[in-house]
Amino acid sequence: MMSDLAGQRRWHKYTPIEDGGSWFLPNNNHLSHTFSSSKHINILHIHTYILISKTTLIQPSTMVAISKPPIEHFFLKPCKQTNNNHHHPTSIPIIDLSKPESKHQLVKACQDFGFFKVINHQVPLQFINKLESKAIKFFNSPLSLKQKAGPPDPFGYGNKHLGQNGDFGWVEYLLLNLKHEPNHKNPTISVFEDNPEEFQCAVNDYVTAVKKMTCEILELLADELKLQSRNVFSKLLLDEQSDSVFRVNYYPPCPELQEHELTGKKLIGFGEHTDPQIISVLRSNNTSGLEILLKTGCWMSVPPDSTSFFINVGDSLQVMTNGRFKSVKHRVVANSLKSRLSMIYFGGPPLNEKIAPLPSLMESDEASLYKEFTWFEYKKSAFNSRLSDNRLGSFENNQHNVSS
Ligand SMILES: C=C1C[C@]23C[C@H]1CC[C@H]2[C@@]12CCC[C@@](C)(C(=O)O1)[C@H]2[C@@H]3C(=O)O
Ligand SMILES: O=C(O)CCC(=O)C(=O)O
Ligand SMILES: [Fe+2]
C-alpha cells in the first residue's frame, strides 16, 4: 500500500496500514515523499518524532512506514490500582513552614513519600509572578527566536528532547546553570531582546528566595534527624561551588489528545524519573499534570496549587540518609486544553563533594547501601542515562560487600 503525503497542511490521521492502527502526521512541507508499508521498521524514535514534530525536518532517508499509531507511544499505561480508597485515602503531606513543630511531619514525609507540599513559605509573590510572566512571554514567542537559546547542551532552550539519550516529552523548557562560573552567561539571556538583563534579574530574585526557603527546610530536617550540625545539607546548597540548576518547563496544550482522554489515555509530558540532586523545589501554575509514584506502584496525581511549593527528595539525599529518605519517582502528563508552566530549583552539591551516608545517622552496625562517589561522578553517570533508568542502581552496594 502506498500513500502519497505531499502537501499536507494540517495534522492528519491515517488508518492505512495492515494492522489497522491509526497514526498522525504533522503539518510539514518537507513530508512530500511516498511511504511504503513494505518497509516496516519499528523505530520508536521515528514514530514519536513524526507524531510530535510540527516543525522539525524529517530527512527522506529516515522516512519509514508506521505499523502502529505513534500517539500510542506517548500514552501511559493506566493504573490498575486505585488511589482513592475511601478507608485509607492517600494525600500529599502539607507542611506549614510557619509552624516549626512541623519538622516531625517533614521527616515523615521524606521517609514515606519523598514528597510534600509547603505552605506559608515567605517566598515573595511578586518574584514568582514576575518570573512566571517573563517565562510565558518567552514560550509564546516565535520558535525561531526561542531556538536562538538552544539546543540545550545541557543548558539552554529545549523542545521535546530531554537529555542526550533519546527521551521525548510534550514539553518545552529552559535549563539554566546556577553554578557561579566566571564568564558564564546563560544562553537564554541574549534572547530577551528588549531587556536581556531583566530576565536574569527575575531568575536571581526568585532563586535567591527559593534557595533560602529550601535551606530552612533542610535545616529543619537535619535538626529532627539529630545530626551533628543543622547545616550538613544546607551548606552544600549555600556553597559558592554548589552545582544547582534551574528549569522552567512549559507544557503546551495538546488538542489532539482530547478524543483519547475520553478513553482514559494520557500523554507523556515529562517521562518518569527521579531527580539526581539533593532536593527539588517546584512551583507550577494551576494546571495539573504532576504525578508521583506511590509505594503501592500506583501513580497519584498531585492537585496543582500555584500558591504553594512542591518539594521532592533527590537521589543524593536518599544516599546521604542511607535510604531513609526516598527519592520519589515522578512524571508529568500533558493536558489537552490548558498549558502548564512549572519552575524548578534543583539544589545540588559542589562537584567534588563526596556523596555518602552521614556517619552520625548510621546505627553502629549499619552498612552503607551505596558505594562511595562524588557528585561529579554521579552527575556524569546521570547525564549519560535515560530518563527512566534506575540511576542509583550501579552505585548500590551488593550483598557481598556491604560489611566493608
Ligand atoms: C535524561 C536525562 C535528562 C536529565 C539528565 C538525564 C536523567 C535525569 C534528567 C534530570 C532530571 C532533573 C533535572 C535535570 C537537569 C537533571 O539533573 O537530571 C534533568 C536532566 C536534563 O533534563 O537534562
Ligand atoms: O515540570 C514539572 O512539573 C516537573 C518536571 C520535572 O520533574 C523535572 O524537570 O525534573
Ligand atoms: Fe523531576
Side-chain angles (χ1 to χ4, degrees):
M1 181 192 307
M2 309 287 268
S3 315
D4 185 9
L5 304 173
Q8 301 298 335
R9 284 284 150 79
R10 291 173 48 76
W11 284 63
H12 284 278
K13 192 178 170 188
Y14 291 89
T15 335
I17 303 180
E18 296 94 322
D19 66 2
S22 60
W23 42 287
F24 293 81
L25 282 168
N27 167 19
N28 189 324
N29 293 334
H30 302 275
L31 281 173
S32 55
H33 293 267
T34 300
F35 274 32
S36 160
S37 63
S38 61
K39 288 190 217 146
H40 274 199
I41 307 174
N42 264 319
I43 305 174
L44 176 63
H45 190 89
I46 292 175
H47 290 183
T48 54
Y49 222 81
I50 291 176
L51 162 71
I52 62 178
S53 174
K54 290 195 178 183
T55 50
T56 312
L57 306 188
I58 297 173
Q59 298 302 321
S61 61
T62 63
M63 296 182 88
V64 290
I66 306 161
S67 60
K68 287 219 173 85
I71 202 162
E72 297 282 314
H73 292 300
F74 271 66
F75 289 146
L76 297 159
K77 288 187 193 82
C79 185
K80 288 192 189 73
Q81 290 153 285
T82 168
N83 58 22
N84 31 19
N85 181 321
H86 296 296
H87 302 292
H88 304 284
T90 311
S91 55
I92 285 148
I94 301 174
I95 310 295
D96 185 343
L97 279 191
S98 67
K99 298 201 176 98
E101 62 271 22
S102 60
K103 62 187 178 186
H104 175 71
Q105 252 184 297
L106 206 55
V107 166
K108 193 164 164 28
C110 291
Q111 289 170 345
D112 296 349
F113 289 89
F115 189 83
F116 53 92
K117 167 168 149 171
V118 162
I119 59 169
N120 291 327
H121 50 69
Q122 311 281 316
V123 174
L125 201 60
Q126 90 211 54
F127 291 168
I128 300 174
N129 292 341
K130 192 165 90 189
L131 184 56
E132 179 172 40
S133 67
K134 285 187 186 301
I136 288 173
K137 198 171 154 205
F138 171 79
F139 288 111
N140 284 331
S141 55
L143 185 66
S144 57
L145 183 121
K146 293 187 278 188
Q147 279 171 334
K148 287 187 186 157
D153 55 358
F155 301 112
Y157 169 75
N159 192 328
K160 299 183 183 85
H161 296 256
L162 290 160
Q164 316 292 323
N165 299 303
D167 285 295
F168 284 94
W170 191 265
V171 64
E172 291 179 48
Y173 60 90
L174 280 173
L175 191 54
L176 305 179
N177 185 12
L178 298 177
K179 189 149 43 98
H180 185 74
E181 277 169 331
N183 305 323
H184 173 84
K185 270 208 153 197
N186 272 316
T188 35
I189 301 314
S190 59
V191 170
F192 292 81
E193 280 155 3
D194 40 351
N195 194 346
E197 309 308 327
E198 255 190 26
F199 182 71
Q200 182 68 66
C201 239
V203 171
N204 292 350
D205 286 346
Y206 176 86
V207 168
T208 305
V210 167
K211 184 167 157 182
K212 185 165 176 278
M213 173 192 70
T214 310
C215 287
E216 277 164 25
I217 291 169
L218 289 172
E219 285 167 19
L220 288 172
L221 285 170
D223 228 16
E224 181 67 15
L225 287 175
K226 314 252 172 323
L227 300 178
Q228 73 275 40
S229 55
R230 295 189 91 220
N231 69 351
V232 268
F233 302 126
S234 63
K235 70 173 186 220
L236 303 174
L237 273 53
L238 294 169
D239 193 300
E240 266 260 289
Q241 295 302 312
S242 152
D243 182 32
S244 297
V245 287
F246 181 63
R247 174 177 216 138
V248 187
N249 289 330
Y250 174 74
Y251 302 86
C254 176
E256 288 86 354
L257 182 60
Q258 239 173 309
E259 59 181 287
H260 297 278
E261 276 175 344
L262 298 172
T263 57
K265 285 178 176 158
K266 293 173 167 187
L267 189 80
I268 301 169
F270 202 119
E272 63 175 83
H273 66 284
T274 60
D275 295 342
Q277 289 81 3
I278 295 173
I279 192 164
S280 310
V281 182
L282 178 148
R283 186 269 174 194
S284 79
N285 66 357
N286 276 323
T287 302
S288 63
L290 183 63
E291 299 186 347
I292 60 167
L293 187 62
L294 301 175
K295 281 177 187 160
T296 56
C298 190
W299 286 97
M300 176 165 80
S301 172
V302 177
D305 177 355
S306 66
T307 64
S308 304
F309 284 90
F310 291 95
I311 302 205
N312 67 269
V313 169
D315 298 343
S316 300
L317 190 53
Q318 177 173 315
V319 173
M320 292 178 82
T321 58
N322 206 27
R324 284 169 179 74
F325 289 2
K326 299 287 179 304
S327 175
V328 70
K329 253 201 177 172
H330 54 284
R331 68 183 185 188
V332 177
V333 296
N335 194 293
S336 64
L337 299 173
K338 286 170 73 192
S339 59
R340 172 177 168 90
L341 187 100
S342 55
M343 319 197 276
I344 309 135
Y345 164 73
F346 300 94
L351 286 173
N352 60 6
E353 189 71 31
K354 213 172 78 184
I355 307 298
L358 296 167
S360 57
L361 201 67
M362 304 283 273
E363 305 286 337
S364 55
D365 59 346
E366 189 175 335
S368 171
L369 296 176
Y370 306 95
K371 297 170 186 161
E372 273 202 4
F373 57 88
T374 62
W375 168 242
F376 174 80
E377 289 164 329
Y378 190 59
K379 184 184 173 183
K380 195 167 136 219
S381 142
F383 276 77
N384 280 322
S385 66
R386 293 291 300 261
L387 211 48
S388 68
D389 284 351
N390 170 20
R391 274 175 284 285
L392 270 180
S394 55
F395 293 86
E396 275 162 15
N397 264 330
N398 55 42
Q399 295 303 325
H400 304 294
N401 51 16
V402 274
S403 53
S404 58

